[in-house]
Amino acid sequence: MKHASNLPTPRNEPIQEYLPGTPQRARLKAAIAEVERTVEEIPVLIGGKAITTGMTVDVTAPHRHRHVIAHLHQCAADDLQRALDGSVEAQRDWASWSFEQRAGVFLKAADLVAGPWRDRLNAATMVGQSKTVIQAEIDVACELADFLRFNVHFAERLYTEQPDSAAGTWNRVDYRPLEGFVYAISPFNFTAIGGNLCTAPAILGNTVIWKPAATASLSSWRVMQVLLEAGLPPGVIEFVPGDSAAITRAVLEDPRLAGIHFTGSTAVFQSLWQDVAQRIDRYRTYPRLVGETGGKNFVLAHASADVDALATALVRGAFEYQGQKCSAASRTYVPKSLWRAVRERCLAQMATFRMGDPADFRNFLAAVIDRRAFDRLSGWLGRLRGDSGAKVLAGGGSDASEGWFIDPTLVQVDDPAHRLMKEELFGPVLAAYVYDDRRWPEVLELVDQAAGYGLTGAIFAQDRAAVAQVAIELRHTAGNFYVNDKPTGAVVGQQPFGGARASGTNDKAGSILNLMRWVSPRTIKENFLPPKAPHYPYMSAE
Ligand code: NAD
């Protein structure tokens, strides 16, 4: 479908390999070294002006927690008020830009991400969020460029969705941005998600208040710098790092709040929803609430599963980025007939993993994000030591002397209702329940009922009938369902992402469904031949 604006057809950004001896690798290493030797000042950005408030928190590298990489300036209450006012003011101009002109900003930003900013974005993510090369590359360089390019394309498709017109009339839908500002709150674990949360509404003419996660603030600031270089006008996205609870309280008090675009934990999203509900009579319009939240993602193996493919999916799905993906595999159900082979292959693969600084490209894992995550996860591992219903088959250790390191851990549980099978741990811990092959139908019910989430899940089976049965019976168990593949690694434009139940509003990031939440359509009917008398023709004399 081509339209007058002739937008380029979006394509997924190819993944670069950074092989030994290549210039790509040398450039990325230089960018990492630059992050490591600098202590950057990350400002608040309001109305296009960088403000250093002087109230700062240290941003550290998770794998070397005494190493400060930035001072994050905290947004003060009066600055935040200016940001809210400025955001509403900026919308007057921004919403009047033609779609092509707005699109041009984001398409340029995508090319900057994939080109001249690629190494700087990857390096900030590797050092700041402790991601290995491949994890940074698929997150920032590829997924962020994809979000920007595909969302522009989806916006164009949305605008072309128009009603019919009867003879003598012209009907059309004006896809207005929301009246007020959108509040975007991003998680630490994907740089691209922060970029998407603030830009998706902006593509449609909204203005946005973006509160990044402190632990991802260096890469988030890089994203902001890219958007400015791409020509984003002042005030369209206000960048307000700082105290989450205080900023949120002030933002939610404002009657001009028109929407929340959130990704993070279930508990925080539920508290946002409750806070909005309590103030519902003060808002000018009903705020759109879009939240993608936690998961307790399953890998279900049928007795016909390919054991090698299953074991690789388990270790990659559970341990890449230290299990800190909302989509990470964290519970698996394996039939007794396959368990021994699956366990041995998983343990053999895990034995080859190195863990450490992501700047050493041989490492498969790095550190978890911060002390809070480390304490939570090492607490779980500590409790497992005294738990007779859980056998730690690999890992189980932790070490905070240099960085926040948690060993990749495989645990076999006796009880399918064990807490490890229900609660999101958000770390490199995979729980396995071994079932009797004859109890397959009951296992389907266990998988569906064990946890309150509904994000991702996978079935491994070569028997097509088993795949078909799971697809139907677990229809509501996962918003992203994989057949013979790991449950992580969704690609924009290929697997629209999100889940229901406690996992969120399932508005599918990186799809037209998400963009629909950021418009408030106005229907316009124009009558070319309006009637000039009240009587209908049938009322004439016989
Ligand atoms: P988090 O909920 O702790 O933080 C997310 C954001 O909310 C951060 O910006 C944080 O500063 C802010 N926040 C924290 N407390 C707040 C409060 N009281 N009021 C307002 N804002 C507050 O989550 P996180 O640790 O950054 O990310 C991990 C969580 O995110 C996991 O549960 C994971 O499953 C989820 N996640 C989900 C998806 C998805 O697409 N479903 C994607 C990524 C992450």
Side-chain angles (χ1 to χ4, degrees), residues 154-165:
F154 293 135
E156 188 195 35
R157 270 180 39 195
L158 179 60
Y159 288 145
T160 56
E161 179 65 35
Q162 293 290 337
D164 289 338
S165 298

Side-chain angles (χ1 to χ4, degrees), residues 77 80-81 84 181 183 185 209 211 242-255 257 260 268 271-272 275-276 278-279 282-283:
L80 181 65
Q81 198 51 51
L84 300 178
F181 58 81
Y183 182 32
I185 311 173
I209 304 292
K211 198 215 73 62
D243 178 331
S244 309
I247 291 176
T248 300
R249 211 174 307 117
V251 172
L252 266 50
E253 287 294 318
D254 196 305
L257 174 76
I260 296 181
V268 171
S271 75
L272 292 169
D275 290 347
V276 166
Q278 275 166 13
R279 294 165 176 77
R282 76 167 51 203
Y283 300 120

Side-chain angles (χ1 to χ4, degrees), residues 186-189 211 244 248 263-265 292-294 326 424 426 497:
S186 53
F188 77 84
N189 64 338
K211 198 215 73 62
S244 309
T248 300
T263 300
S265 60
E292 298 303 335
T293 61
C326 48
E424 184 184 49
F426 217 58
F497 191 79

Side-chain angles (χ1 to χ4, degrees), residues 298-304 435 440-441 443-445 447-448 457-461 463-478 481-484:
F298 67 86
V299 175
L300 169 61
H302 181 255
S304 66
Y435 69 88
W440 167 252
V443 169
L444 294 192
E445 185 151 346
V447 174
D448 184 54
I459 166 71
F460 274 76
D463 175 345
R464 193 79 222 173
V467 173
Q469 183 188 9
V470 173
I472 291 169
E473 293 195 25
L474 300 189
R475 195 167 179 211
H476 289 283
T477 322
F481 177 61
Y482 294 81
V483 179
N484 294 320

Side-chain angles (χ1 to χ4, degrees), residues 138-140 142-145 147 189-197 223:
I138 59 174
D139 168 3
V140 215
C142 299
E143 192 173 24
L144 181 54
F147 272 133
N189 64 338
F190 279 87
T191 306
I193 291 181
N196 179 53
L197 293 178
V223 172

